[in-house]
Every structure is written in structure tokens, then in C-alpha cells.
Amino acid sequence: MFEGGSAPRLFGVAPGVDFPRALVTGLRARMQDKPPEAMARVQLIVNTRRMQRRLRSLFDAGPATLLPQIRLITDLDLLDPTIVLPKSVSPLRRRLELIALVSRLLTQEKDLAPRSSLYDLTDSLAALMDEMQGEGVTAEKIASLDVTDQSGHWQRAQQFIQIAQSYIDDTSTLPDSEARQRSFVTALAANWLANPPQDPVIVAGSTGSRGTTMLLMQAIARLPQGALILPGFDFEMPAPVWSHLDDAMMSEDHPQYRFHKLMSELGVTRGDIAQWDDTPAPSAARNALVSLSLRPAPVTDAWLTEGAKLTEIDNATTDVTLVEAPSPRDEALAIALRLRQAAEDGETAALITPDRVLTRQVTAALDQWSILPDDSAGKPLHLSPPGRFLRHIAGLFTRRLDAESLLTLLKHPLTHSGFERGPHVLNTQRLELRIRKKGLPYPDPAGITRLLDRAVAKPEDQIQIDLWSEWVGSTFCAQLDDHPRHLSEWVTRHIALAEAIAAGTKGADPGELWQKKAGQKARDVMQNLADHAGFGTTMSASDYNDLVGALLSGEEIRDRDAPHPNIMIWGTLEARVQGADLVILAGLNDGTWPEAPPPDPWLNRALRHQAGLLLPERRIGLSAHDYQQAIGAQEVWLTRSIRSDDAETVASRWVNRLRNLLDGLRDQDGPQALADMLARGDEWLARVRAFEQVDSSDPAPRPSPRPPVAARPRALSVTEIKRLIRDPYAIYAKHVLKLTRLGPLVQSPDALMRGTVAHDIMERYIKDTLSDPTLLTADHLNHVARQVMAEEVPWPAARAMWLARIDKIADWFAEREVARRAYSAPVAFEGQAKGKFTWPDLGFTLTARADRIDRTDAGDIVIYDYKTGKPPTARQQATFDKQLLIEAAMVEEGAFETLGICHTGMAIFIGLGSHPDEVTAPLDEEPPREILTNLRELIEAYLSPGQGFTARRMMQEDKIAGDYDLLARFGEWDATDDPVPEDLT
């Protein structure tokens, strides 16, 4: 295929050229005069499986020919079968061994990192050791680094790396995959040096960024029929500029640095690099412009000299659009609109970005037009149904089961998927409604059974519900485990529990858990973990949960149906092997593209350079090369958002360089070209604004519905009278529309619960003191408070805080209770202190339930009501908070059967807040008979057809939220708006 010669043979393909197509075209051209079988003897080595598939598809497209032997750069064993090496150790096994080591390190060196970083540290250590093996750097070399001028942290890290390597060397005879690959390449190079193959061997598409790959490429380049084909080679960069890429510390982030390093190792110059194929770049002028914008930092002054020589700036930028969107949402919508246009026009279009959040936003936007892009990255396994399911179950071991976690799992589509899922879904709905109504913050078997007791009328159906609740209680509850266990035990328990939950009450089969691509992949991950669990260590439930999450997040699945053939989403790696009519480079903000180098807890930049390891800027350089390749396409979009969700962003350094260069090329109309690029982007942003624009509608009026008299409430409790006065609409919604607010799924220790608990404490305390007057002490009140809260308050923090509040008022309450007992004695509590008063002519009933009723020695009644907040003042009671005044009037009318007709001597609010107080109801200013007369007038008014139930009529404060504010559309109107009556028929 190639002419003879001993010089290394290197070829390049310009940025923007479809690399796989150019590779096949050049290969066919060189083999056209050769016999058919010559093509089959060609060894073609590529760096990704996607490239391998693309090359085969291009050959399959014709004309007919024998295929070359296309191999992956990570699968080289068939290049020389005489080289026999042991198989590499499983990456999971090595990871588990390192987890045990790092775990012990964190136990001994507590200031190194928090325990929660165990897996991040393990991953970074595993990556470092792979890199050391790939670059040929030994642990001894790391140990010999000069760290005298470094902090103690780096000395400890240096020592631990040596310990880790020694441990691995002593415990395993199998090499890591990187070590095996380097050993094989070293042996292969030695064999080839002695007996080189005579058939063509070509490495195509690799930049040689890793040490082992560089060794292979050097060996192949020196073969008699060996060649390297470099992707995205910058033919526009002048030869003198290449010499400025010598210093890795200064140039590692340049897109052509790896090629310069390869050329230096092989002893060739820029002039020795020939074009592989004569396929022209889509825009040579743009390649020249971008090449100049990416000049190495030491020679950016070349903009002044070389910039004047640039020509065809218009042609270079005509097909380039620069979108600077106000927000990520606008950026995603602009991209989606352009992809939609491409789909309509039959263009092939590709979105290229490392920002997976942005790709999901674009995918969601395209779904509006039923366009499903072909996403090469697939979906992370941990976000798939089986992945989420397994993570939720692992979470059961780490924390006490709460209602949210229970219902999350019960509602999961894989739960009870093996048998009769329909009844399971119905029972889950029943359980949720009862949890919301009655509360069960931390479900247990007894609580679940209690909530579902008498859930249906038919006994045979209730039996099935009881069986289901028993299954839920025994399967989901009591899974919290605080004891460290060996990894193998955790895995066995995890898989068994997952299959039991997926199977359901009667099933033995795990349902759909391990089915479809996602289920199969999840099964593989868990089985692999089970197979290697013996190499793990004892760990806590939290550590196991983190491990499972990390393993699941490391896998991806592609389980999409019929994606659009012309609309694609690529990662930067996939973009190297594809071509499209339109290429959109998105997320071009610093920190996103290029991505900020991850922190290295083991070696800093200076130590890496000393050791001969890759610098952090390597990733930036690779990203820069991807950018330079992609921007050379026929039509290109460059997009970024000016703001993220919470802050201003900084444009990618490459976009900044391009903008600054164009802005300085005034003699070539560079500023105008830049303005045109932005104008084209602004045009699409204007379309986004037009697409997002909605027709405004008039705000809703302040409602004041007037339902038929027959539908109006005929019974209210005393406590609802205050609501009738302040927010009549709430009474309408509750009693006419029959709407009740569902409680929160995640029950919290709120003010309502605190009031209920305080009432229970006081009632139990008073009853105890009636039986034994010696218990009328502050100590006993605190004792009762602890008992009640242990039963009713499952939150330790809230329990401690509320107990402190009780302790603060205990002495005051005990002293006041002694004073109260001096003139009265309790005769009824909340359970017995029930009253009912009826106006027969109105057909209206008033009900009441007092917290406590005492009777004096003279036979008068004293009514008490506990308030955990601030009690209402006398003025507020006279106007709004009429609870005690109405109860006093009901007592005098004989509404309380247990009391009969009695005189109300006093009615008192007992404040149990931070400033305890007693507030007496103004019975003299508001006599009972007058209270009932005024109340009757109020009831008569609301039983009148012309009276509307006005929303938020007289709220104490506008900031106070009502249960039915959303229904009333409060916010579209406020308290200054006049109510609008509406007759309902």
C-alpha cells in the first residue's frame, strides 16, 4: 500500500472532514490497483466501537469489496497470537479492594477527607493507578518525588499510593487492564522490531493521548507498511508555531499538543504530515480562522501578523450562527426550534455537548412535535426504572422508613409487578389517603394495619386488604440496619428484598424487575457485584447504598423506540466518528465545555509533572480538539447561555478567542462578520420569545359565590364561626363543595400537631392530679409530657424542643393550677365536654367541644381553652374569636348535657406559649344572650339567598394562608378588590 522507506509514516485529515468517510475513501484509492484479497490483509485499528461500526457500514454501502480487519485499540491480542498474557483482573474486584484500603485510610486519617467521599476517593485512586500503569509510572517513582516543599497532605498521599500498589502486587497475580495492555504493546513492539509484519497496519482516529496508545502508534508508524491517520489535524497552523508546543505545562490544553508530542517522539516535522485523502474541508477559510484563534498562549501575538493575511472572512463565518441565550431554557428552545426546522427540511442535524442536563431539556422540547432524537449516550442506568427501584430498596437499609419512602416504593411500576398489580395499586391509593388524613409519619406493621382496618364494606375484600397490609408491613418495615456487614451479605439481602417486593403478595417470580434492556443491565450489575463480593469488606448500610448507586450510575442503556433518523444528540467522543449537515455545539461556557479539571486528592499539578503523568489540562486539550473538529462542519451553531439558573456564566475560552479575533480584524470586516453571526442567533431567540409568548387573560375576580339556600351548611362547630367571619369562602368550599384539604404526605411537627399534643399532655396531667393531688407539681407535668411525646411525637429534635417549652412553663402552670383548684374542680374534658345547640326555626345546629370545664363551689361553670400560641385579646374575642363567648352562652342554654343549665362564671384562654398567660373572655361586655342573638343574625344572613360567601373577607393578616386560597385564585386579586357575587344554581 505504501512506498518503502524507514521514516515513520503519518497522515492527517483536516477538521470538518467526515473522518470515517475520508478514511474509507483513501483506503479504497490506495487499494484500487491491488488484488481483492489485499484489502482483507489490512489491519485497521480504531479507538471506539462506534467508529468500528461506522466504517463497516461505509464499506457495506459499496462498491463490493473484502473488508479490512477492523480492530479496537483495546483488543489487540489477535495482532500477535504468540504473545500470551494472563487475563486482566476484573475492574470491580480491583475497585472493591481499593475501597477496603481507602476505608481504612479514612479511619486512620480523619482529616484527609469526610467519610462520604469514600467512593469518590476510591474512583480517583483507581483512575490514578490506571494512569500510572498506562503511562509506565511506578509506585517507586511516585515515592521518590520531591515533596519537601509540599504540604503534609501530599506526603501522606504519596505514602498511601505506595502502600496501595504494594497491597495489589502482593494480593493478586492478575494484572490490571491498563498494565496488561501496556505489557502487551511493549511485547508486540519488541516482536515487530525483530520480525515486522509486511501487510499494512494502520491506526486511525487516535490522538495518542495515553502513554500505552502512544507506544503502539510509535511502533506501528515505524513498520514497513505501518501508518498513522490523525483526525482533525491542523494543516493551517504554520510550521514555526508547532515548536511553541514543546512545554507541556504551557501547551497541554492546545488541541494539537498531542500531535506535536507524537511527532517529536517519532522525529518527524509538520512538513512530513501528508493529507490522507483529497476530500476538501467544508470550509478551509473557517479552519484557518479557528486555527489562528486557538494559537498557543505564548504566540497569540501572531493575531497581529497572521490576522492581516486572513482572507474570506465572510465565507468563513457565513454558515456560523452564534446564539447567546439569556437562560438555559432559551438556549434549549432555540436549539429545539432549529432541529425541528432541520427535520422538516430533511437535513441531518447533530447536537454536540457534554452537558447532559441541556440535552434532556432539548429532548423534552422536541417532544412537543413528537420528535425523538437519536441520543448516542442513552440513559444512565441509575435513572431507569430498575436503577431507581434498586436504589430505593438500598435506601431502606440506611434510614428509618417514612411515609414518603414507603409510598415511593409502593407506587413504583416494578413493585408487585409479578402478580395482580391492579389490586396493589388500589390498596396503595387507599393507604395514601389514610396516611394523609390520619397521619403515619413512620409506618410500622401495626400502624399500616390500623389505617386499613375496615377500608371496604365487603368482608371478603377486607380479607384481601388485610393480607396486603400484612405483606407491606413484613416486607418494607424494619429494614433499617445499623450494624456493619460484609458486602456479600448486603448484596444477597438486597437482591432478595428487591425480588420479594417486585413479586408481590403471592408471586414467586420477580415480575418485570429483570426484564427489558434496563432490567437485564441491572441484573448484570448486581450479579457482577455478587460474584465479586468476596473481595469486598465489611461496610455500613450507608456505604453499601453509595456503592450500589455508584455502580448503577456508571452504566448506560439505550432502550428507545424509533428515534428520528436525521436528528441526533452526540457526546464529544461520538462526534469524532460522524458527519451531519448541521452541527450545533451547545453549552459553550467555561466549566461546561471545556469542563473544569476534577480535583485530584492524590497528586497536585507539579507532582504530576515530576512523575511524568498527564496534566489536568489534558482533558481541556482533548475538548479543544473536539471543538476544532466540530466547528469545521458545513453549517455550525455555537450556543451558550448568559446566565445559569443561579449566576452569570463565563463564555467558553474558545468562543472568547474567536470573538476577540474577529473583533480585531477590522480591515477584513471581522466585526461585521461577528455581528452577523450574533444577528442570526438573535433571529432564532426572537422565535423563541414568539413561541413562548402567551395571550394574557384577565385575572380572576374576588369570588363571593351564592349557592342555593338548600345547599348551604346547616351545622357548624363553634371554632368554625371564626372562619365564617374571617373567610366565608372556606366554609362554602368545605360544607357546600364538600372539599377537604388532604394532609401532607411527609407529616411534620407543625403548629397543629403541637397544639394537639399540648392538649393531650394537659388533659392527662389534670386527670392524674385529680386521682392524686400530690402530683400537682411541675416535675409530674414534665413526666407526663415525656410520656405523651414518646407516644405521639416521633421526631427526636421536635420532641426535645417541645419538651423544653413545657419545662419552661411547668412551674407557672402548676402554680396557677393550684390557684384554680382553690375555687373550682374539673368536671369534664374534651371527650365529654360536648355541646349542641339548635335553632329549630332556622334548621341550624351549633356544636362545641371544650378543652376543659370546671365547676366552682357555688355551682358556676368555668370554661378553659388551651392555646399553644398567643391567646386572643378581649377585643379580638369580641369581634372575631368568639369561641369561648359562644360556649359560655351554650352552657347557659343547657347545650352541654353533662352539665345541664348552668351559669357561666368565667371563660379563660390559657396560653402555653413562650410567654404563658391567662386571658379571660369579656363575659360582662359580651353577655351570653347578646352573643347568641348576634350569632343568630349572622347565621340568618348566610342562610339568605342574597348573601355571598366572600373569600378572605376579614383576614387578620394578608400573609396568613387559607386552605382554599388556590381554589379562590387568591393572588390574581387581593383584599382591596371588591367581591363579585355569583349565583349558583
Side-chain angles (χ1 to χ4, degrees):
M1 178 186 295
F2 305 111
E3 296 180 359
S6 58
R9 197 173 289 106
L10 281 76
F11 299 91
V13 175
V17 176
D18 186 344
F19 182 81
R21 189 176 297 278
L23 175 60
V24 171
T25 302
L27 195 58
R28 285 184 183 275
R30 286 171 172 78
M31 301 298 291
Q32 62 181 354
D33 297 331
K34 303 293 188 296
E37 67 275 10
M39 180 71 84
R41 291 197 293 269
V42 174
Q43 300 273 2
L44 189 56
I45 302 172
V46 297
N47 56 350
T48 65
R49 198 169 298 279
R50 184 175 288 272
M51 171 81 85
Q52 186 182 47
R53 291 196 299 267
R54 176 86 195 284
L55 289 173
R56 286 175 177 167
S57 67
L58 289 171
F59 276 110
D60 290 344
T65 182
L66 294 176
L67 287 178
Q69 301 175 49
I70 307 175
R71 306 189 189 284
L72 290 177
I73 207 165
T74 55
D75 187 17
L76 303 175
D77 287 23
L78 294 179
L79 285 178
D80 191 341
T82 64
I83 302 175
V84 179
L85 295 175
K87 289 186 177 181
S88 61
V89 68
S90 163
L92 180 57
R93 171 182 167 181
R94 181 66 76 234
R95 185 178 189 179
L96 294 175
E97 292 171 341
L98 290 177
I99 285 173
L101 276 176
V102 175
S103 178
R104 288 199 290 271
L105 170 67
L106 293 181
T107 301
Q108 297 171 5
E109 302 281 350
K110 297 185 183 299
D111 59 337
L112 180 65
R115 184 77 188 180
S116 59
S117 64
L118 171 63
Y119 297 104
D120 289 336
L121 273 178
T122 300
D123 289 345
S124 64
L125 179 60
L128 173 62
M129 299 190 72
D130 283 346
E131 185 182 338
M132 289 167 55
Q133 293 163 346
E135 301 300 318
V137 177
T138 63
E140 289 75 17
K141 188 170 184 179
I142 297 294
S144 66
L145 293 176
D146 182 10
V147 294
T148 55
D149 59 341
Q150 307 287 332
S151 70
H153 167 84
W154 302 114
Q155 297 176 24
R156 293 195 301 271
Q158 182 186 44
Q159 295 167 1
F160 186 76
I161 291 170
Q162 190 173 18
I163 294 172
Q165 186 63 59
S166 300
Y167 172 82
I168 290 174
D169 292 341
D170 294 341
T171 57
S172 175
T173 59
L174 299 177
D176 287 337
S177 58
E178 286 287 344
R180 184 184 187 280
Q181 178 84 344
R182 190 173 183 91
S183 298
F184 185 89
V185 169
T186 301
L188 182 65
N191 287 0
W192 279 352
L193 186 63
N195 186 22
Q198 300 304 308
D199 293 321
V201 182
I202 300 171
V203 174
S206 178
T207 62
S209 61
R210 300 300 295 262
T212 301
T213 306
M214 180 71 78
L215 285 179
L216 177 66
M217 294 173 71
Q218 292 176 25
I220 290 176
R222 294 188 174 102
L223 293 177
Q225 288 295 305
L228 309 179
I229 306 176
L230 308 179
F233 188 84
D234 189 353
F235 289 100
E236 306 297 333
M237 192 161 70
V241 178
W242 286 86
S243 62
H244 291 279
L245 297 176
D246 289 330
D247 186 359
M249 296 288 281
M250 294 291 294
S251 305
E252 182 102 25
D253 60 351
H254 191 273
Q256 302 295 311
Y257 170 78
R258 273 138 297 280
F259 294 153
H260 171 73
K261 183 178 180 181
L262 175 64
M263 290 155 54
S264 299
E265 295 284 347
L266 292 173
V268 300
T269 64
R270 158 67 184 83
D272 298 320
I273 311 297
Q275 290 200 16
W276 170 254
D277 180 56
D278 57 4
T279 302
S283 177
R286 191 187 310 147
N287 283 353
L289 175 66
V290 173
S291 173
L292 182 57
S293 73
L294 296 175
R295 284 289 186 268
V299 292
T300 48
D301 59 326
W303 287 11
L304 298 174
T305 56
E306 295 183 43
K309 302 175 185 178
L310 282 179
T311 59
E312 302 184 57
I313 298 297
D314 287 345
N315 291 338
T317 59
T318 296
D319 293 323
V320 179
T321 299
L322 179 56
V323 177
E324 295 197 325
S327 67
R329 175 181 175 83
D330 292 321
E331 181 184 9
L333 280 173
I335 293 169
L337 288 172
R338 182 63 184 91
L339 292 176
R340 177 181 183 269
Q341 184 69 50
E344 288 184 358
D345 297 342
E347 296 178 298
T348 56
L351 168 62
I352 303 174
T353 180
D355 188 348
R356 294 304 300 167
V357 174
L358 180 60
T359 61
R360 287 195 289 269
Q361 290 176 321
V362 172
T363 301
L366 287 172
D367 189 55
Q368 299 173 88
W369 307 295
S370 300
I371 297 175
L372 180 64
D374 185 2
D375 191 343
S376 63
K379 183 178 183 178
L381 179 59
H382 73 287
L383 297 180
S384 68
R388 293 181 187 273
F389 184 74
L390 290 170
R391 288 191 294 123
H392 288 320
I393 292 175
L396 294 178
F397 305 145
T398 66
R399 57 186 177 272
R400 184 180 179 185
L401 182 68
D402 57 27
E404 182 181 25
S405 299
L406 174 62
L407 287 169
T408 296
L409 264 171
L410 288 176
K411 291 182 177 183
H412 196 284
L414 294 178
T415 299
H416 214 296
S417 58
F419 179 78
E420 291 186 354
R421 178 162 170 80
H424 163 77
V425 173
L426 181 59
N427 290 333
T428 300
Q429 294 171 351
R430 290 174 174 142
L431 178 61
E432 179 179 0
L433 286 174
R434 282 160 177 77
I435 287 177
R436 288 183 180 274
K437 289 180 179 179
K438 300 181 180 180
L440 188 64
Y442 295 103
D444 58 1
I448 294 171
T449 301
R450 183 179 66 254
L451 284 182
L452 291 176
D453 185 34
R454 290 181 290 183
V456 292
K458 294 183 179 180
E460 59 271 21
D461 293 339
Q462 184 62 45
I463 291 174
Q464 297 302 317
I465 293 176
D466 292 342
L467 291 174
W468 182 84
S469 63
E470 181 181 350
W471 170 75
V472 172
S474 61
T475 306
F476 293 84
C477 300
Q479 294 295 344
L480 173 65
D481 196 334
D482 296 328
H483 302 288
R485 301 182 185 277
H486 194 273
L487 175 60
S488 56
E489 188 175 347
W490 282 122
V491 177
T492 302
R493 180 177 169 186
H494 188 190
I495 294 176
L497 183 58
E499 291 183 343
I501 292 176
T505 53
K506 300 179 182 178
D509 175 44
E512 299 180 5
L513 174 58
W514 309 123
Q515 295 180 14
K516 300 182 181 180
K517 290 183 179 180
Q520 294 166 8
K521 175 66 74 172
R523 176 71 180 185
D524 292 343
V525 170
M526 296 304 296
Q527 187 60 54
N528 189 32
L529 180 58
D531 293 342
H532 293 89
F535 298 102
T537 184
T538 299
M539 59 179 59
S540 67
S542 178
D543 285 346
Y544 174 74
N545 184 38
D546 292 342
L547 173 62
V548 170
L551 293 178
L552 293 172
S553 63
E555 300 290 340
E556 291 183 339
I557 52 169
R558 286 176 54 85
D559 197 12
R560 308 297 294 270
D561 296 328
H564 197 287
N566 293 336
I567 306 301
M568 294 150 291
I569 296 177
W570 296 333
T572 54
L573 185 64
E574 291 80 16
R576 302 172 190 174
V577 300
Q578 302 284 359
D581 300 327
L582 167 67
V583 171
I584 300 177
L585 309 185
L588 284 167
N589 284 324
D590 249 23
T592 300
W593 198 6
E595 184 180 5
D600 188 344
W602 305 106
L603 295 173
N604 61 23
R605 190 170 182 265
L607 294 177
R608 279 181 160 274
H609 187 60
Q610 283 187 48
L613 293 170
L614 302 171
L615 295 179
E617 289 83 358
R618 166 184 169 270
R619 290 192 178 190
I620 297 177
L622 290 174
S623 294
H625 186 252
D626 294 334
Y627 161 81
Q628 188 176 18
Q629 280 187 277
I631 199 174
Q634 180 63 47
E635 182 182 354
V636 177
W637 267 36
L638 308 175
T639 76
R640 60 175 292 262
S641 59
I642 298 174
R643 283 188 63 87
S644 65
D645 292 333
D646 54 4
E648 293 277 348
T649 60
V650 177
S652 170
R653 61 196 68 184
W654 312 315
V655 174
N656 263 337
R657 279 172 163 256
L658 183 60
R659 290 193 60 158
N660 292 338
L661 176 59
L662 284 172
D663 200 42
L665 297 176
R666 301 187 180 279
D667 294 338
Q668 294 101 315
D669 290 332
Q672 184 58 49
L674 176 60
D676 292 342
M677 292 164 54
L678 287 167
R680 287 189 285 272
D682 290 342
E683 179 183 343
W684 283 93
L685 290 175
R687 297 188 186 187
V688 168
R689 290 190 294 271
F691 179 75
E692 289 276 85
Q693 188 173 2
V694 296
D695 295 331
S696 61
S697 57
D698 294 333
R702 184 180 185 182
S704 183
R706 297 191 294 207
V709 173
R712 300 191 180 212
R714 296 290 172 168
L716 290 176
S717 67
V718 167
T719 54
E720 288 182 306
I721 298 302
K722 174 183 175 181
R723 179 176 287 189
L724 181 64
I725 296 171
R726 291 197 176 274
D727 190 6
Y729 187 87
I731 298 297
Y732 158 78
K734 179 179 180 181
H735 292 278
V736 178
L737 299 183
K738 308 299 182 184
L739 298 177
T740 56
R741 178 186 177 185
L742 281 178
L745 181 60
V746 182
Q747 192 176 357
S748 59
D750 55 14
L752 178 62
M753 172 174 280
R754 183 159 64 94
T756 302
V757 171
H759 282 68
D760 292 344
I761 291 172
M762 294 307 167
E763 181 171 333
R764 187 179 300 187
Y765 173 68
I766 297 301
K767 288 180 177 179
D768 286 352
T769 60
L770 288 176
S771 302
D772 185 357
T774 62
L775 298 177
L776 191 55
T777 63
D779 288 341
H780 186 65
L781 177 56
N782 284 321
H783 173 71
V784 171
R786 287 190 292 271
Q787 285 184 328
V788 172
M789 290 196 190
E791 298 169 3
E792 301 182 16
V793 183
W795 301 275
R799 190 161 56 239
M801 184 173 64
W802 292 356
L803 282 172
R805 291 185 177 184
I806 294 294
D807 180 66
K808 184 178 179 180
I809 68 167
D811 289 330
W812 174 86
F813 187 86
E815 291 174 2
R816 292 300 305 150
E817 185 62 24
V818 170
R820 285 188 284 269
R821 296 290 180 89
Y823 59 84
S824 67
V827 294
F829 297 97
E830 190 173 5
Q832 304 83 30
K834 297 179 181 179
K836 181 164 61 173
F837 178 77
T838 303
W839 284 292
D841 58 324
L842 295 181
F844 188 89
T845 299
L846 189 66
T847 60
R849 177 179 293 182
D851 290 344
R852 169 184 168 184
I853 296 178
D854 285 17
R855 190 188 297 272
T856 67
D857 295 338
D860 292 342
I861 295 299
V862 182
I863 305 173
Y864 293 106
D865 190 87
Y866 301 117
K867 291 290 185 185
T868 52
K870 184 178 180 181
T873 64
R875 183 177 179 183
Q876 289 173 333
Q877 293 182 59
T879 311
F880 300 107
D881 295 323
K882 296 178 177 291
Q883 176 185 348
L884 286 185
L885 293 174
I886 296 174
E887 288 178 359
M890 292 176 67
V891 167
E892 298 202 354
E893 292 293 331
F896 290 81
E897 293 184 2
T898 57
L899 302 178
I901 299 176
C902 301
H903 176 259
T904 304
M906 288 187 293
I908 302 173
F909 282 109
I910 301 178
L912 304 176
S914 56
H915 300 285
D917 192 15
E918 292 183 356
V919 178
T920 303
L923 296 180
D924 294 335
E925 292 80 3
E926 300 287 335
R929 186 167 298 278
E930 184 178 332
I931 287 292
L932 284 180
T933 300
N934 293 337
L935 180 58
R936 179 186 173 94
E937 291 176 358
L938 178 67
I939 300 301
E940 286 179 334
Y942 277 99
L943 290 178
S944 170
Q947 178 63 49
F949 290 77
T950 302
R952 299 177 65 89
R953 177 173 172 267
M954 299 178 68
M955 300 297 287
Q956 184 175 359
E957 295 181 10
D958 282 342
K959 66 181 181 181
I960 296 177
D963 291 344
Y964 302 95
D965 285 349
L966 286 177
L967 183 65
R969 296 173 69 169
F970 176 60
E972 297 183 46
W973 52 268
D974 58 31
T976 63
D977 293 327
D978 293 330
V980 178
E982 182 182 5
D983 290 319
L984 305 177
T985 57

